[in-house]
Amino acid sequence: MKHLRNIVQLLICLVVLAVAAIQHSGRLFGVDLRQPTKAQTDAVQVADTLRIAGDTVVVNTSVLAGDVKGYAGPVPLEVRLVGGKIQSVVALDNVETPDFFHAASELLTVWDGLTPEEALEKKVDAVSGATFSSRAIIANAQSGMEYLVANPAKVEQPHQWNPLSALSWASLAGLLVAMLAAVVPLLTKNKLVRTLQLLLNVAVLGLWSGTFLSYSALLSLFENGWRGWLSLLPLLLVVMAFVYPLFGKKQYYCTHVCPYGSLQELTGRLNKRKWQLGQRWTKRLTLFREVLWAVLTLLMLAGVWFQWMDYELFTAFIFRSASVVVIVFAVLFVVLSLFVARPYCRFVCPTGTLFKMSETNQ
């Protein structure tokens, strides 16, 4: 009965995510539910890097900048070149917050009429209030220009895409670390081994590859479905978050994989004298986390204020794009972890609360 109850709770959480994904973008697993007659090829997908269409050379940055993210995920572009000059830069489908991405989209025209070399030299600043999307657009555009400059001969012939190329070194390293996290804690409880795993989580999953589970990442998976090799790492993280607890490994992702949780634990080890919150305060703070999660979930299901997802503290690891507010609060909670064990995980984290709600005996 307990196992069945766990499965039911998990299914309810997955349904919540599915409904939120539909409310967010109208898509579910790559299918546009709001426009059922629209060709599904408009969905986000990995495409050929280079193609020739008449006198137009088109560079797709899906692979070139596959590890470059806004907040919700990749922001692929097409750079279109005619007569050696940029005719246009076009945004492909993505799962960024529409309002923020619309503001950032004013950047798409700043390279028009330039050669790729001139475009690379042009200094472009992010749009205030849409930092994540802006910097992702700039990085993708620069990747396209760099490809054109470095491969002039390929402009004369189509490029055959190799699916393995979609995985950057950062993605491959992240996949390896995630695989270690999926297996090693099941085999040993050695403190030194755990410390090394926590360090790898922070350095590789967090700082290098910027890969972690958040509401934006989960909605991206539900909205876009399987995206080939690029989906391997987030899918493995989802398995550890939702499937492992079915076999008795509760909160496995939070305690063994999450880079921000790992950073809090490592910082907490620097001070053994923790504040004694007491049972009453612990219950109050836990209730705050659960109420916060319930309110944010209701807002998503109602299809309003998805912007809150842009402020989950995990995004501080993508420090080149993270907002100052997110970085400041992320640092504050890390400092607080010197005195309170994993404070963000235990008393705030909406994503972690979702994982807990999918388990029994919370």
Side-chain angles (χ1 to χ4, degrees):
M1 181 62 68
K2 177 181 176 181
H3 194 65
L4 177 60
R5 189 163 62 248
N6 203 123
I7 293 175
V8 170
Q9 289 181 215
L10 172 58
L11 290 176
I12 291 173
C13 289
L14 296 180
V15 169
V16 167
L17 287 173
V19 173
I22 295 171
Q23 290 281 45
H24 183 237
S25 67
R27 294 197 304 271
L28 184 63
F29 302 123
V31 177
D32 192 334
L33 300 179
R34 292 179 180 174
Q35 301 178 19
T37 61
K38 184 180 180 181
Q40 293 183 6
T41 53
D42 286 342
V44 176
Q45 58 183 333
V46 177
D48 288 346
T49 298
L50 179 68
R51 71 177 190 273
I52 310 296
D55 61 348
T56 303
V57 176
V58 181
V59 174
N60 185 305
T61 67
S62 296
V63 173
L64 296 176
D67 58 345
V68 173
K69 302 177 181 178
Y71 180 75
V75 182
L77 305 176
E78 280 190 348
V79 180
R80 299 175 180 177
L81 198 71
V82 177
K85 293 188 176 181
I86 298 165
Q87 181 189 60
S88 62
V89 177
V90 179
L92 302 177
D93 279 1
N94 60 69
V95 291
E96 294 294 277
T97 302
D99 290 343
F100 289 151
F101 191 75
H102 178 73
S105 294
E106 69 180 54
L107 296 176
L108 296 173
T109 61
V110 301
W111 298 283
D112 290 359
L114 303 178
T115 65
E117 292 83 0
E118 291 170 340
L120 282 174
E121 294 178 359
K122 184 177 180 66
K123 180 175 175 57
V124 180
D125 295 323
V127 175
S128 178
T131 307
F132 283 102
S133 298
S134 296
R135 292 183 178 175
I137 287 174
I138 294 169
N140 271 269
Q142 289 176 337
S143 295
M145 314 306 180
E146 290 170 355
Y147 182 88
L148 287 167
V149 171
N151 300 278
K154 290 186 178 182
V155 171
E156 302 301 326
Q157 55 186 348
H159 172 74
Q160 186 65 36
W161 177 67
N162 177 359
L164 288 176
S165 66
L167 289 177
S168 65
W169 284 110
S171 298
L172 288 169
L175 183 59
L176 177 60
V177 170
M179 292 172 65
L180 290 173
V183 176
V184 172
L186 303 177
L187 302 177
T188 178
K189 303 298 182 182
N190 183 277
K191 187 174 181 179
L192 176 59
V193 173
R194 176 167 176 79
T195 300
L196 291 174
Q197 181 67 57
L198 294 175
L199 289 170
L200 286 173
N201 294 342
V202 173
V204 179
L205 290 177
L207 295 173
W208 190 10
S209 69
T211 303
F212 39 78
L213 290 184
S214 63
Y215 261 92
S216 286
L218 291 169
L219 290 194
S220 178
L221 284 172
F222 273 77
E223 290 168 0
N224 298 311
W226 177 252
R227 298 179 59 235
W229 298 97
L230 295 175
S231 297
L232 283 176
L233 178 51
L235 186 60
L236 178 57
L237 300 183
V238 167
V239 168
M240 286 186 278
F242 287 114
V243 179
Y244 273 38
L246 293 176
F247 300 92
K249 303 301 179 182
K250 293 185 178 181
Q251 300 177 38
Y252 190 91
Y253 171 82
C254 297
T255 56
H256 296 290
V257 189
C258 176
Y260 192 58
S262 298
L263 180 58
Q264 290 176 81
E265 179 172 335
L266 289 170
T267 304
R269 292 183 182 182
L270 300 177
N271 179 28
K272 295 183 178 180
R273 295 184 177 180
K274 297 291 189 295
W275 294 340
Q276 300 300 317
L277 295 178
Q279 188 176 18
R280 177 179 297 181
W281 273 105
T282 299
K283 286 184 176 180
R284 288 176 177 176
L285 291 171
T286 300
L287 178 61
F288 167 78
R289 170 177 57 77
E290 293 173 348
V291 170
L292 175 64
W293 175 82
V295 170
L296 296 176
T297 299
L298 289 174
L299 288 172
M300 287 194 308
L301 295 179
V304 297
W305 203 52
F306 284 97
Q307 290 89 336
W308 71 264
M309 294 185 296
D310 297 338
Y311 296 97
E312 287 193 275
L313 298 190
F314 313 115
T315 191
F317 283 110
I318 314 175
F319 54 89
R320 294 180 180 177
S321 301
S323 69
V324 174
V325 172
V326 169
I327 292 176
V328 168
F329 274 95
V331 171
L332 287 176
F333 271 96
V334 169
V335 173
L336 184 59
S337 66
L338 286 168
F339 309 100
V340 179
R342 289 177 172 252
Y344 182 76
C345 303
R346 294 168 60 200
F347 304 126
V348 181
C349 184
T351 299
T353 305
L354 174 70
F355 300 152
K356 292 179 182 179
M357 292 297 176
S358 70
E359 304 170 4
T360 55
N361 297 330
Q362 299 306 317

